[in-house]
Amino acid sequence: MTQRPFHHGNLRAVLLDEAAAVVRESGVDGLSLRDLARRAGVSHGAPRSHFVHRQALLDALAEVGFERLTADVRRALDGGGGLRDRFRRVAHAYVDFAVDDAALMDLMFQAKTTDEPGTVREAAATLFATLDAAVGPAVSDGAADESRELFKMLFAATMQGIAALVASGRLDRSAGDLLVDAAMDTMLDSELGRRVVTAR
């Protein structure tokens, strides 16, 4: 295996890139600091200067996952067009990430529930704030806030479900794309969608 060159100071980034590749290839169970050191071409102890134990590595990887997904969602929102078009792009970006990096997505949401308040939770909060922005300006009203939260949970549950069907091979990618579009149309045209989404 060809060793990847790195300069002192970017070993952490190299290790996280290698960790993401391992998770994509063989899942979280295949990830170890010793194997990462071998893949990066450094001594067995070198990764511990950045990750004191395996859980620290997993948390850092989850944080990177949230940052990458947030960047994908922001690009989708920046594409212009009407609200329906923006929602569809966001939904496709979310599902594409969850299919292409299914094991990383699982790790991200496991870390969010087990991690102490810190960088993983902050990265997750940034993602959900970005998704929230797609809905439009919040209305200061208790009932509206409840509807908004319900809409966001429905969005996440629906897109996660579609991604799971595609990732498991129950649906092919094109069928998944059609299902994403149909789901977004249904959600936006529903009573809940009309209550929540502010046209902009």
Side-chain angles (χ1 to χ4, degrees):
M1 176 171 158
T2 303
Q3 294 183 2
R4 296 178 57 184
F6 61 87
H7 302 287
H8 180 72
N10 77 339
L11 176 57
R12 185 178 191 276
V14 170
L15 292 170
L16 286 171
D17 284 347
E18 292 290 356
V22 170
V23 169
R24 193 176 297 118
E25 293 162 9
S26 55
V28 174
D29 290 343
L31 193 59
S32 74
L33 290 172
R34 179 176 288 268
D35 182 57
L36 283 185
R38 181 186 60 78
R39 289 173 67 109
V42 296
S43 68
H44 290 162
R48 293 193 180 276
S49 63
H50 297 281
F51 310 109
V52 295
H53 44 59
R54 185 173 181 272
Q55 188 58 52
L57 169 65
L58 295 178
D59 288 344
L61 189 56
E63 181 186 353
V64 168
F66 277 116
E67 290 170 350
R68 282 179 43 204
L69 181 52
T70 299
D72 289 349
V73 169
R74 283 176 173 156
R75 279 192 294 271
L77 287 172
D78 289 342
L83 180 142
R84 192 173 295 263
D85 289 335
R86 293 198 303 274
F87 260 100
R88 282 184 171 181
R89 288 198 305 270
V90 168
H92 282 287
Y94 192 100
V95 170
D96 286 345
F97 183 95
V99 170
D100 294 336
D101 280 294
L104 178 57
M105 192 74 152
D106 287 344
L107 171 64
M108 288 157 56
F109 284 92
Q110 289 167 6
K112 180 176 180 291
T113 59
T114 60
D115 182 50
E116 293 297 323
T119 54
V120 178
R121 285 185 179 272
E122 290 169 6
T126 300
L127 169 64
F128 291 113
T130 305
L131 289 170
D132 189 69
V135 179
V139 178
S140 185
D141 176 279
D145 288 344
E146 288 182 9
S147 295
R148 190 181 182 91
E149 287 303 310
L150 180 59
F151 184 87
K152 289 188 291 183
M153 287 191 290
L154 180 61
F155 171 87
T158 302
M159 297 310 139
Q160 292 275 118
I162 295 171
L165 289 172
V166 175
S168 67
R170 298 288 298 277
L171 290 177
D172 63 28
R173 202 66 176 252
S174 60
D177 288 341
L178 290 173
L179 195 54
V180 168
D181 288 341
M184 288 314 308
D185 285 342
T186 300
M187 288 177 62
L188 291 171
D189 291 337
S190 68
E191 180 183 352
L192 176 63
R194 288 193 297 271
R195 285 202 311 267
V196 169
V197 178
T198 304
R200 290 188 290 172

